[in-house]
C-alpha cells in the first residue's frame, strides 16, 4: 500500500464552493473593492514572516514588483511568437539560462505555470515517445501528487515504489524489478517535497540508460538550490541534465527561485523529443496556453539580476536559517531530526513530546508548519524560504520551545 503521507489527503477532498452569491449589479468603487479584499486577506491563517509551512518563495524578489506596469497587456504563447516576439524572447532566454544552470545548455523547453504542469509535460513526452498502447510509469511513492494526476489525465498506469522504512528512500532494485515491457518512463525527485530527500538520481539515470527508458527528474525544490549548494562546496551529487540518462528535468521558480507564483521551468535534454507532441493538431507544446508577459519578464529579470552570485547568497542565507532552526530545535529535550536535512526542508520527530499538540499550539499562535505521521513516527515539517530573516528563525525556535513546554505541561 502506498503511504505518501505528506501530500496524500486522508480521504476524498470535498469541493467547498461557499454560499451562493448573486452576480453584482452595480460596480463597487475602487476603495471599497480594495477594502473588501484586505478584509479577505485578514482571514488568511499565517503571515509570511511566521510561515514555515508553505513551500513557496514567500515574497518574490523586488526586481519583479514594477513589471506589472511595464508588461501590461503583453503575453506569450507559441502561436503568437510573431506578434509578441520580444515577450517570447524573454521566455526563450530565461529557459536557455535554466538549461545552462541545469547541466545542458542545448536543452530546450518552456516556462510553465509550475511544477504540476511541468510534471504533466514529462509524462506526456514519456508516453508519446514510448508509443505503447498500455503505458506504465514508475515512481517512488514519495513523489508529488501531480504524477497521479498526470496518470489519470494521460491514461497511464502509475506504478508506485515503496520506500525504505528507515531511510525513506526508494531502492533502485525495487524500481528495476517493477519494469515491464509496458514501462515507458521513470520518475525521481531531487528532492521530494515531503521530507526534502534526494532520490538516488544517478542510479535512476544508469537504470534508465540501460533499459532505454525516459527518465524525468522533479527538481521543483532542488533546481534553485542544489547547483548553488555545490558552488558553496557542499556535495549534493549529480541530479541534472548533465547525467546522460536524464531525459527531462523541471524546477519551480516560485519555490526557491524568488519568482512570482505560477513560474515553473520544464526542460528536455534533447529538443527533438518535442516532436512527439502532435502540434499539427495541438498547435502548442504546453498544456497551459496564453500566459501573462510579466511572468516571462519576471523570470528573466530575477535570473539576470541575481545571477549565480545572487543565488549563491540566497542559498547561503537559506542554509544559515536552516542551521539556526535545526540547532535550536534539537537542543530542546525530546526533539530529534526525523532525517538529516538536505536542502530547505526540515523534519523533526519526538518519542516523548506530543507533536500534534505542538503543531496545534504553534498554529494557534500564527506559526505555519505542518504535522504528519510517517511509518508510525510523528513529525513536524518546515519549509524555509529566502524571504525569511534570522530574527524570524530565532523567533520560531523560541515559539517552538514554548509550545513543547506547554505540550509537556498537560
Ligand atoms: C511543489 C512541488 C510540485 C508542484 O508544484 P506546483 O508549482 O505547486 O504545481 C511538484 N513536485 C515537487 C517535488 C514539489 O515540491
Amino acid at each position: 500500500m502506498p503511504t505518501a503521507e505528506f501530500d496524500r489527503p486522508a480521504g476524498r477532498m470535498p469541493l467547498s464552493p461557499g454560499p451562493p452569491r448573486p452576480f453584482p449589479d452595480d460596480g463597487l468603487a475602487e476603495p471599497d473593492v480594495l477594502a473588501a479584499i484586505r478584509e479577505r486577506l485578514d482571514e488568511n491563517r499565517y503571515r509570511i514572516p511566521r510561515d514555515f509551512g508553505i513551500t513557496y518563495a514567500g515574497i518574490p524578489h523586488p526586481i519583479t514588483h514594477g513589471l506589472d506596469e511595464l508588461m501590461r497587456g503583453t503575453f506569450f504563447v507559441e502561436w503568437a511568437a510573431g506578434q509578441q516576439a520580444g515577450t517570447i524572447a524573454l521566455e526563450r532566454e530565461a529557459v536557455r539560462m535554466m538549461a545552462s544552470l541545469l547541466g545542458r545548455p542545448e536543452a530546450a523547453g518552456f516556462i510553465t505555470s509550475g511544477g504540476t504542469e511541468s510534471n504533466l509535460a514529462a509524462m506526456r513526452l514519456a508516453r508519446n515517445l514510448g508509443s505503447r498502447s498500455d503505458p506504465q510509469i514508475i515512481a517512488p511513492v514519495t513523489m508529488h501528487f501531480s504524477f497521479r494526476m498526470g496518470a489519470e489525465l494521460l491514461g497511464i498506469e502509475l506504478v508506485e515504489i515503496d520506500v525504505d522504512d528507515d531511510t525513506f528512500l526508494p531502492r533502485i532494485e525495487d524500481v528495476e524489478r517493477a519494469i515491464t515491457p509496458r514501462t515507458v518512463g521513470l520518475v525521481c525527485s531531487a528532492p521530494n517535497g515531503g521530507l526534502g530527500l534526494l532520490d538516488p538520481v544517478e542510479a535512476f539515470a544508469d537504470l534508465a540508460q540501460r533499459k532505454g527508458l525516459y527518465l524525468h527528474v522533479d527538481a521543483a525544490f532542488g533546481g534553485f538550490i542544489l547547483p548553488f549548494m555545490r558552488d558553496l562546496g557542499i556535495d549534493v551529487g549529480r541530479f541534472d541534465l548533465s547525467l546522460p540518462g536524464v531525459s527531462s528535468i523541471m524546477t519551480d521558480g516560485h519555490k526557491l527561485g524568488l519568482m512570482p507564483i505560477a513560474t515553473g521551468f520544464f526542460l528536455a535534454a534533447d529538443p527533438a523529443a518535442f516532436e512527439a507532441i502532435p502540434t499539427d493538431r495541438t498547435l502548442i507544446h504546453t498544456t497551459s496556453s496564453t500566459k501573462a508577459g510579466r511572468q516571462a519578464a519576471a523570470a528573466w529579470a530575477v535570473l539576470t539580476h541575481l545571477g549565480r552570485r545572487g543565488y549563491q547568497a540566497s542559498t547561503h542565507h537559506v542554509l544559515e536559517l536552516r542551521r539556526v532552526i535545526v540547532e535550536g530545535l534539537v537542543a530542546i529535550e525530546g526533539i530529534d531530526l526525523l532525517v538529516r536535512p538536505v536542502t530547505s526542508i526540515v523534519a523533526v520527530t519526538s518519542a516523548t513530546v506530543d507533536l500534534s499538540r505542538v503543531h496545534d499550539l504553534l498554529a494557534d499562535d500564527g506559526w505555519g508548519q505542518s504535522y504528519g505521521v510517517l511509518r508510525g513516527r510523528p513529525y513536524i515539517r518546515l519549509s524555509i524560504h529566502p524571504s525569511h530573516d534570522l530574527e524570524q528563525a530565532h523567533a520560531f525556535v523560541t515559539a517552538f520551545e514554548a509550545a513543547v513546554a506547554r505540550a509537556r505541561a498537560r
Side-chain angles (χ1 to χ4, degrees):
M1 262 310 275
T3 46
E5 288 84 347
F6 178 66
D7 278 327
R8 178 165 266 192
R12 290 178 76 96
M13 304 279 286
L15 180 73
S16 339
R21 199 175 156 94
F23 192 84
D25 285 323
D26 295 314
L28 206 58
E30 184 175 338
D32 300 333
V33 170
L34 296 181
I37 290 174
R38 280 195 196 97
E39 228 172 83
R40 294 295 190 286
L41 289 179
D42 286 340
E43 295 169 15
N44 289 349
R45 191 159 190 192
Y46 306 119
R47 301 281 175 277
I48 286 171
R50 287 192 166 205
D51 198 342
F52 290 87
I54 57 162
T55 54
Y56 304 108
I59 300 162
H61 193 281
I63 188 89
T64 64
H65 296 178
L67 295 174
D68 269 351
E69 188 64 23
L70 188 63
M71 299 301 289
R72 216 157 28 164
T74 63
F75 61 94
F76 66 105
V77 60
E78 284 171 287
W79 57 258
Q83 295 99 301
Q84 293 272 320
T87 318
I88 208 135
L90 290 170
E91 186 215 17
R92 300 256 149 98
E93 290 174 27
V95 168
R96 284 308 188 126
M97 286 186 249
M98 291 307 296
S100 297
L101 178 69
L102 296 176
R104 199 171 163 82
E106 312 86 280
F110 33 80
I111 288 183
T112 64
S113 59
T116 297
E117 188 193 348
S118 299
N119 287 340
L120 297 186
M123 294 178 87
R124 185 187 192 189
L125 281 188
R127 183 196 66 176
N128 292 6
L129 290 164
S131 59
R132 295 240 158 62
S133 60
D134 210 1
Q136 280 176 335
I137 285 181
I138 302 172
V141 67
T142 41
M143 75 199 153
H144 188 257
F145 64 80
S146 49
F147 293 107
R148 295 197 189 100
M149 183 201 286
E152 189 226 332
L153 290 173
L154 294 162
I156 294 168
E157 184 197 343
L158 189 66
V159 179
E160 302 190 17
I161 301 299
D162 207 355
V163 293
D164 184 272
D165 283 340
D166 296 316
T167 63
F168 305 117
L169 288 173
R171 283 171 296 247
I172 202 69
E173 315 84 77
D174 294 344
V175 178
E176 178 156 9
R177 218 171 302 128
I179 296 174
T180 75
R182 289 166 49 206
T183 307
V184 294
L186 310 177
V187 162
C188 62
S189 304
N192 59 48
L195 298 182
L197 297 177
L198 262 78
D199 286 336
V201 185
E202 279 192 70
F204 269 87
D206 284 347
L207 179 61
Q209 229 188 351
R210 260 195 299 121
K211 301 280 181 180
L213 291 171
Y214 189 103
L215 171 64
H216 173 62
V217 178
D218 177 340
F221 264 109
F224 277 100
I225 192 167
L226 294 173
F228 310 115
M229 287 175 70
R230 187 186 288 144
D231 289 350
L232 297 176
I234 301 165
D235 179 16
V236 294
R238 292 177 72 193
F239 70 97
D240 62 13
L241 295 172
S242 66
L243 286 168
V246 176
S247 313
S248 60
I249 193 167
M250 68 80 144
T251 188
D252 276 352
H254 60 221
K255 295 268 170 73
L256 292 168
L258 288 155
M259 291 172 193
I261 298 286
T263 312
F265 297 92
F266 176 76
L267 292 161
D270 178 6
F274 290 110
E275 288 163 21
I277 307 237
T279 44
D280 50 335
R281 286 184 288 130
T282 66
L283 197 60
I284 55 177
H285 292 89
T286 46
T287 47
S288 63
S289 186
T290 312
K291 292 190 275 287
R294 84 176 126 63
Q295 196 184 345
W300 195 96
V302 180
L303 293 176
T304 50
H305 180 68
L306 284 182
R308 199 172 262 280
R309 300 285 168 269
Y311 279 114
Q312 286 165 357
S314 107
T315 297
H316 182 268
H317 174 63
V318 166
L319 296 178
E320 193 55 17
L321 296 173
R322 187 185 83 184
R323 183 186 64 75
V324 166
I325 288 176
V326 168
E327 286 180 6
L329 298 192
V330 300
I332 302 170
E333 201 193 319
I335 302 295
D336 300 298
L337 287 171
L338 178 67
V339 290
R340 196 177 61 80
V342 181
T343 56
S344 58
I345 296 168
V346 171
V348 291
T349 185
S350 180
T352 54
V353 182
D354 178 356
L355 287 185
S356 100
R357 172 101 180 113
V358 172
H359 164 74
D360 289 345
L361 288 167
L362 284 169
D364 289 347
D365 236 5
W367 291 102
Q369 25 76 53
S370 45
Y371 170 77
V373 180
L374 194 55
R375 307 288 149 98
R377 295 159 79 184
Y379 68 97
I380 285 180
R381 172 194 180 272
L382 310 172
S383 171
I384 296 161
H385 48 82
S387 62
H388 286 136
D389 62 29
L390 277 173
E391 204 179 312
Q392 291 156 2
H394 284 293
F396 179 79
V397 170
T398 306
F400 199 102
E401 243 175 332
V404 168
R406 282 170 65 195
R408 282 192 193 284
R410 280 216 316 170

